[in-house]
Amino acid sequence: MIPFSPPRIDQRNIDAVTETLKSGWITTGPKTKLFEQKINDYVGAKKTICLNSATAGLELMLRWFGVGPGDEVIVPAYTYSSTGNVVLHCGARLILVDAQEDFNVSPEAIKRAITENTKAVMPVDLGGYPVDYEEILAILNSERVSSLFKANTKEQELLGRPLLLSDSAHAFGAEYSGQRVGSISDAHCFSFHAVKNLSTAEGGCICLNLPSSFDHDEVYRYLTIYSLHGQTKDALAKTQKGNWRYDIIEAGYKCNMTDIAAALGLVELDRYDSETLPRRREIMMAYDQAFSANDWAICPPIENENKISSYHLYMLRIRGVSEEQRDQIIQEIFEREVSVNVHFQPLPLFTAYQSRGFNMDDYPVAFQNYQGEISLPVYYDLNPNMQSQVIQAVVDSVEQVLKR
Ligand SMILES: *Cc1c(COP(=O)(O)O)cnc(C)c1O
């Protein structure tokens, strides 16, 4: 069976983890701090904090900004549940908006959804393809939006408009207008989950790019404390002589990154541009080459004049098929010993969102994108022979189902 997205684990990762285990320091410490600095340099952010997931980062940022009951947060209907769930955790009102043809959120739909209660907008760089940042920023910075905005906290007052909080879980290494994703929105959250391009098993980070009126060191300090119970000193600081006493300044969360995870991340970051991205790009280009001549294939957006994907997901769409036909094609592909996936089932298809009143009929483009979607294997160790098997399995399966 060809797996969908196994992590790349070789002797280098194993040695890095072993070295960390033997170092005597396994939780948040020097490796995490070094990883933060290297990510920050890589994406060109103002400040980066590592956590145990992207989801934790999204929720911490909403809470840092004071988002709660009575507030609205705009999220694409076409995303992973993480993006929607964190809004609900905060007790805010989730406002789902429709997608556009490239899978990403429609800036027009965001514009229409903004009200005087909007506190944050959370676009998702789907599959690693950057959203329309220029259009979204223009909307958020418009006179209409800032005059609608009601500030309830000192952070909200300082920003003067809704927070642009990107779920960039897929987009590490992607570029928009010559800038790395991670340096554009007020905050971007990346995921280092096992299936993502750069994996630390579980992990994530927040990259901050707030306006210069914010003190980024202070925001960083706050988020660090907030991610560790609200405790003023981390475990490493407490090991220093006479430094045992600490305070809890708020009932914080527990979502810090471990040095074991950071050790994996440091290896992966070191070979990200030289090995990971080129290999993933090569695989995607080979899929494009194989499928683009077929009438039934809609190849996913990967690059254009001002966007470069991080090549995270190859989101193929089969033109004109129903959801049932797509499911049959997937079944056929699996029978040919190839694992594929669907990214994503739009949120209104799930019980938790339907019970909150969301209806799939209100998001026709998201449904359209979903009903023919099949994500194909993309990972470092997928060799050309394996890729040929994937391509053959897809072509045979599609043709078989379409002639039924
Ligand atoms: C993976 C993923 C997340 C969550 O990342 P974690 O690090 O697992 O929290 C969020 N959003 C999207 C779109 C994802 O694919």
Side-chain angles (χ1 to χ4, degrees):
M1 191 78 171
I2 293 182
F4 179 70
S5 175
R8 181 185 180 191
I9 303 292
D10 61 13
Q11 199 56 44
R12 252 188 100 180
N13 311 71
I14 294 167
D15 289 346
V17 169
T18 307
E19 191 262 316
T20 310
L21 290 172
K22 289 179 174 169
S23 75
W25 198 264
I26 57 175
T27 185
T28 314
K31 294 225 161 54
T32 303
K33 297 298 148 187
L34 180 62
F35 190 36
E36 287 177 343
Q37 193 51 56
K38 292 205 166 186
I39 294 168
N40 203 63
D41 294 345
Y42 179 83
V43 305
K46 291 184 180 165
K47 201 79 192 176
T48 295
I49 173 171
C50 282
L51 300 166
N52 67 1
S53 72
T55 308
L58 294 171
E59 181 161 343
L60 277 191
M61 284 310 296
L62 290 177
R63 292 189 182 272
W64 166 81
F65 199 56
V67 173
D71 296 332
E72 295 175 359
V73 178
I74 298 172
V75 167
Y78 202 88
T79 183
Y80 182 56
S81 57
S82 166
T83 334
N85 286 354
V86 293
V87 174
L88 300 175
H89 295 171
C90 293
R93 183 152 173 243
L94 179 64
I95 306 293
L96 294 181
V97 297
D98 207 359
Q100 55 190 18
E101 153 68 22
D102 70 356
F103 289 107
N104 279 334
V105 67
S106 153
E108 265 309 308
I110 290 177
K111 191 172 172 181
R112 282 195 300 272
I114 291 177
T115 72
E116 56 175 11
N117 297 317
T118 307
K119 288 292 184 292
V121 174
M122 299 174 68
V124 184
D125 306 299
L126 270 164
Y129 192 65
V131 297
D132 293 330
Y133 278 108
E134 200 180 312
E135 288 79 354
I136 295 171
L137 277 164
I139 293 164
L140 287 178
N141 289 320
S142 70
E143 183 52 39
R144 182 184 79 93
V145 170
S146 44
S147 59
L148 270 178
F149 186 71
K150 286 187 306 198
N152 301 325
T153 67
K154 79 173 194 306
E155 288 77 17
Q156 293 175 10
E157 204 146 303
L158 213 49
L159 193 61
R161 57 158 172 78
L163 183 73
L164 182 56
L165 174 58
S166 279
D167 178 343
S168 297
H170 298 171
F172 194 76
E175 289 179 38
Y176 182 87
S177 278
Q179 252 182 295
R180 277 258 159 75
V181 168
S183 64
I184 303 165
S185 295
D186 298 319
H188 292 261
C189 293
F190 292 107
S191 173
F192 308 131
H193 177 268
V195 301
K196 303 300 202 284
N197 282 14
L198 190 161
S199 174
T200 63
E202 294 282 357
C205 72
I206 306 170
C207 293
L208 295 169
N209 306 283
L210 292 158
S212 51
S213 47
F214 286 87
D215 178 341
H216 283 74
D217 289 331
E218 192 189 308
V219 178
Y220 172 85
R221 211 153 34 239
Y222 178 84
L223 292 171
T224 309
I225 290 172
Y226 212 35
S227 66
L228 200 92
H229 307 294
Q231 183 172 308
T232 52
K233 286 172 193 166
D234 66 17
L236 189 64
K238 288 200 297 171
T239 61
Q240 286 155 27
K241 223 183 259 179
N243 207 28
W244 59 271
R245 193 183 288 277
Y246 60 87
D247 189 18
I248 299 290
I249 55 175
E250 239 183 285
Y253 293 87
K254 181 63 170 66
C255 50
N256 53 306
M257 177 176 275
T258 70
D259 266 21
I260 297 176
L264 286 169
L266 285 165
V267 169
E268 291 307 315
L269 185 55
D270 190 53
R271 60 192 185 187
Y272 198 67
D273 274 357
S274 56
E275 299 179 21
T276 306
L277 288 180
R279 181 81 196 101
R280 299 186 77 95
R281 179 175 192 278
E282 195 173 44
I283 291 168
M284 289 203 175
M285 294 301 160
Y287 279 141
D288 267 4
Q289 180 104 40
F291 298 125
S292 57
N294 294 287
D295 280 343
W296 50 259
I298 305 173
C299 295
I302 299 175
E303 295 170 351
N304 76 5
E305 324 72 61
N306 68 340
K307 295 183 184 184
I308 304 177
S309 176
S310 64
Y311 316 105
H312 179 52
L313 295 173
Y314 193 84
M315 302 165 81
L316 180 68
R317 276 170 288 185
I318 314 301
R319 197 185 303 279
V321 294
S322 66
E323 192 181 1
E324 293 69 28
Q325 285 175 306
R326 188 274 314 275
D327 294 354
Q328 288 167 14
I329 294 167
I330 290 179
Q331 190 58 37
E332 290 292 334
I333 296 173
F334 269 96
E335 269 158 32
R336 289 165 175 80
E337 301 293 310
V338 172
S339 303
V340 293
N341 245 302
V342 172
H343 293 93
F344 287 93
Q345 299 176 74
L347 300 186
L349 290 180
F350 293 122
T351 306
Y353 295 89
Q354 284 170 359
S355 69
R356 285 176 167 85
F358 294 104
N359 185 338
M360 197 64 247
D361 295 343
D362 297 329
Y363 310 92
V365 183
F367 188 77
Q368 176 67 31
N369 288 342
Y370 152 78
Q371 74 175 350
E373 204 274 348
I374 305 174
S375 298
L376 306 185
V378 180
Y379 50 93
Y380 188 81
D381 295 312
L382 186 79
N383 67 38
N385 280 339
M386 295 157 83
Q387 192 173 9
S388 300
Q389 187 186 331
V390 175
I391 291 166
Q392 200 57 51
V394 171
V395 170
D396 291 349
S397 301
V398 171
E399 285 172 359
Q400 174 148 350
V401 169
L402 288 185
K403 71 168 190 255
R404 272 179 197 165

